[in-house]
Amino acid sequence: MRGLHGPRRWSRVAAVLALSAWGCDVKSSMQGMAVDPPRPMPTFTFTLENGAAFRTAPAPGSPMVLFFGYTHCPDVCPTTLADWKRVAQRLGDRAERVRFIFVSVDPDRDTPAIAARYAQQFDARFVGVSGTPETTFQMMTAFGVAASKDSSTTGSGYLVSHSSQVFLVDPLGRLVALYPFNSGWETLAADLESLL
C-alpha cells in the first residue's frame, strides 16, 4: 500500500500468523521475534542475471537474511536495505559470511538483472533475486509472506502491498527470528553477531 501503513499492517499480520503457527519463546536469546522451535525452511533455486543458479540451501557458518520486496517500492524496501548496509558495516569482515538476500515479489517487472542491481546499489555483497511467478509464490508461502498489486493504480506504475518483516535463517537452514519493519537495525545486527 502507499506509504508505510500498508506494509506495517502486512508485517504485523504475517508475524502474528507465523508466530502462532511456529511458536515464540520470549526467553530466547534472540533480540528479534524468536521462532521456537526453529523452523526448517525449504530450499529455493533462482536464476541469476548471468545464468548461474542461486540456491537458498544452508551453508555452513553462513546465516541468511531475507527480505521480500520490489524495486519500485517507494519507502519500506529502500529503508530496509539501507538498514542492512548499517548491519554489514557494524559486522565488518564478519559480514562476508552473511547471505543478505532481497527477493522480488514483483517478477513481472523485476528481472533477475534489475533485482540484482537494486540490491547491490546498497552493498555489493547483497544478492537480489527474481524468480518465476511459481517460485516466487512458493517461497512467499513458505515464509508466510503476502503481496498484492494495488488496485488503485494502472499500467506499469502500480504499487505492491507486501509484508515488510525481515527473516533470519541460521546456518542449518532454520528460520530462527523475524524483524518487523522499524524494529531497529541494531536488533538484527546483535542476533547476527551471536550466530557468527
Side-chain angles (χ1 to χ4, degrees), residues 1-2 70 109 148-161:
M1 293 185 177
R2 299 182 194 278
Y70 68 115
R109 288 185 297 186
S148 63
K149 291 182 181 179
D150 189 334
S151 60
S152 67
T153 56
T154 59
S156 62
Y158 61 84
L159 297 175
V160 179
S161 298

Short mmCIF file of all heavy atoms in Angstrom, two decimals, residues 1-2 70 109 148-161:
data_model
loop_
_atom_site.label_atom_id
_atom_site.label_comp_id
_atom_site.label_asym_id
_atom_site.label_seq_id
_atom_site.Cartn_x
_atom_site.Cartn_y
_atom_site.Cartn_z
N MET A 1 0.83 -1.18 0.00
CA MET A 1 0.00 0.00 0.00
C MET A 1 0.87 1.24 0.00
O MET A 1 2.05 1.18 0.28
CB MET A 1 -0.90 0.00 1.24
CG MET A 1 -1.94 -1.10 1.21
SD MET A 1 -3.06 -0.96 2.59
CE MET A 1 -4.17 -2.28 2.24
N ARG A 2 0.26 2.37 -0.27
CA ARG A 2 1.01 3.60 -0.29
C ARG A 2 1.53 3.91 1.11
O ARG A 2 0.86 3.65 2.09
CB ARG A 2 0.15 4.76 -0.79
CG ARG A 2 -0.38 4.57 -2.20
CD ARG A 2 -1.18 5.79 -2.61
NE ARG A 2 -1.94 5.51 -3.79
CZ ARG A 2 -1.46 5.55 -5.01
NH1 ARG A 2 -0.20 5.86 -5.20
NH2 ARG A 2 -2.22 5.29 -6.05
N TYR A 70 10.15 -5.13 -3.64
CA TYR A 70 10.20 -4.91 -5.09
C TYR A 70 10.93 -3.61 -5.37
O TYR A 70 11.01 -2.72 -4.52
CB TYR A 70 8.80 -4.92 -5.70
CG TYR A 70 7.89 -3.77 -5.32
CD1 TYR A 70 7.46 -2.85 -6.29
CD2 TYR A 70 7.42 -3.59 -4.02
CE1 TYR A 70 6.60 -1.81 -5.97
CE2 TYR A 70 6.57 -2.56 -3.69
CZ TYR A 70 6.16 -1.66 -4.67
OH TYR A 70 5.32 -0.63 -4.33
N ARG A 109 7.89 -7.15 -13.34
CA ARG A 109 8.73 -6.01 -13.69
C ARG A 109 10.19 -6.22 -13.32
O ARG A 109 11.10 -5.70 -13.98
CB ARG A 109 8.22 -4.73 -13.00
CG ARG A 109 6.94 -4.19 -13.55
CD ARG A 109 6.56 -2.87 -12.90
NE ARG A 109 6.31 -3.01 -11.47
CZ ARG A 109 5.85 -2.02 -10.69
NH1 ARG A 109 5.63 -0.83 -11.21
NH2 ARG A 109 5.64 -2.23 -9.41
N SER A 148 0.29 -8.09 -2.91
CA SER A 148 -0.75 -7.92 -3.93
C SER A 148 -0.59 -6.56 -4.59
O SER A 148 -0.17 -5.59 -3.96
CB SER A 148 -2.15 -8.06 -3.32
OG SER A 148 -2.37 -7.04 -2.36
N LYS A 149 -0.94 -6.51 -5.88
CA LYS A 149 -0.88 -5.26 -6.60
C LYS A 149 -1.95 -4.32 -6.08
O LYS A 149 -3.06 -4.74 -5.75
CB LYS A 149 -1.08 -5.49 -8.10
CG LYS A 149 0.07 -6.21 -8.78
CD LYS A 149 -0.19 -6.36 -10.27
CE LYS A 149 0.93 -7.11 -10.97
NZ LYS A 149 0.67 -7.28 -12.42
N ASP A 150 -1.63 -3.04 -6.03
CA ASP A 150 -2.57 -2.01 -5.60
C ASP A 150 -3.57 -1.79 -6.73
O ASP A 150 -3.20 -1.38 -7.83
CB ASP A 150 -1.80 -0.72 -5.30
CG ASP A 150 -2.69 0.33 -4.64
OD1 ASP A 150 -3.92 0.28 -4.84
OD2 ASP A 150 -2.16 1.20 -3.93
N SER A 151 -4.83 -2.06 -6.46
CA SER A 151 -5.86 -1.96 -7.50
C SER A 151 -6.16 -0.52 -7.90
O SER A 151 -6.81 -0.28 -8.91
CB SER A 151 -7.15 -2.64 -7.02
OG SER A 151 -7.62 -2.00 -5.83
N SER A 152 -5.69 0.45 -7.12
CA SER A 152 -5.97 1.85 -7.44
C SER A 152 -5.01 2.43 -8.45
O SER A 152 -5.16 3.57 -8.87
CB SER A 152 -5.93 2.69 -6.16
OG SER A 152 -4.61 2.73 -5.64
N THR A 153 -4.00 1.66 -8.86
CA THR A 153 -3.03 2.13 -9.85
C THR A 153 -3.17 1.33 -11.13
O THR A 153 -3.66 0.20 -11.12
CB THR A 153 -1.59 2.01 -9.32
OG1 THR A 153 -1.35 0.65 -8.94
CG2 THR A 153 -1.39 2.91 -8.11
N THR A 154 -2.75 1.92 -12.23
CA THR A 154 -2.87 1.24 -13.52
C THR A 154 -1.54 1.27 -14.25
O THR A 154 -0.64 2.04 -13.92
CB THR A 154 -3.93 1.93 -14.39
OG1 THR A 154 -3.54 3.30 -14.59
CG2 THR A 154 -5.30 1.87 -13.74
N GLY A 155 -1.42 0.41 -15.27
CA GLY A 155 -0.24 0.39 -16.09
C GLY A 155 0.99 -0.09 -15.34
O GLY A 155 0.90 -0.79 -14.34
N SER A 156 2.15 0.31 -15.82
CA SER A 156 3.41 -0.16 -15.24
C SER A 156 3.79 0.57 -13.97
O SER A 156 4.76 0.22 -13.31
CB SER A 156 4.54 -0.01 -16.27
OG SER A 156 4.72 1.37 -16.59
N GLY A 157 3.04 1.59 -13.60
CA GLY A 157 3.37 2.36 -12.40
C GLY A 157 2.69 1.89 -11.14
O GLY A 157 2.63 2.63 -10.16
N TYR A 158 2.19 0.67 -11.13
CA TYR A 158 1.46 0.18 -9.97
C TYR A 158 2.37 0.00 -8.75
O TYR A 158 3.58 -0.19 -8.86
CB TYR A 158 0.76 -1.14 -10.30
CG TYR A 158 1.68 -2.27 -10.70
CD1 TYR A 158 2.31 -3.08 -9.75
CD2 TYR A 158 1.91 -2.56 -12.05
CE1 TYR A 158 3.15 -4.12 -10.11
CE2 TYR A 158 2.75 -3.60 -12.42
CZ TYR A 158 3.37 -4.38 -11.46
OH TYR A 158 4.20 -5.40 -11.82
N LEU A 159 1.75 0.07 -7.58
CA LEU A 159 2.44 -0.22 -6.33
C LEU A 159 2.04 -1.63 -5.88
O LEU A 159 1.05 -2.19 -6.34
CB LEU A 159 2.06 0.79 -5.26
CG LEU A 159 2.47 2.24 -5.53
CD1 LEU A 159 1.94 3.16 -4.44
CD2 LEU A 159 3.98 2.37 -5.64
N VAL A 160 2.83 -2.20 -4.97
CA VAL A 160 2.55 -3.53 -4.46
C VAL A 160 2.51 -3.48 -2.93
O VAL A 160 3.47 -3.03 -2.30
CB VAL A 160 3.63 -4.55 -4.90
CG1 VAL A 160 3.33 -5.94 -4.32
CG2 VAL A 160 3.73 -4.61 -6.42
N SER A 161 1.40 -3.90 -2.35
CA SER A 161 1.33 -4.05 -0.90
C SER A 161 2.02 -5.36 -0.55
O SER A 161 1.76 -6.38 -1.19
CB SER A 161 -0.13 -4.10 -0.43
OG SER A 161 -0.80 -2.91 -0.75
#
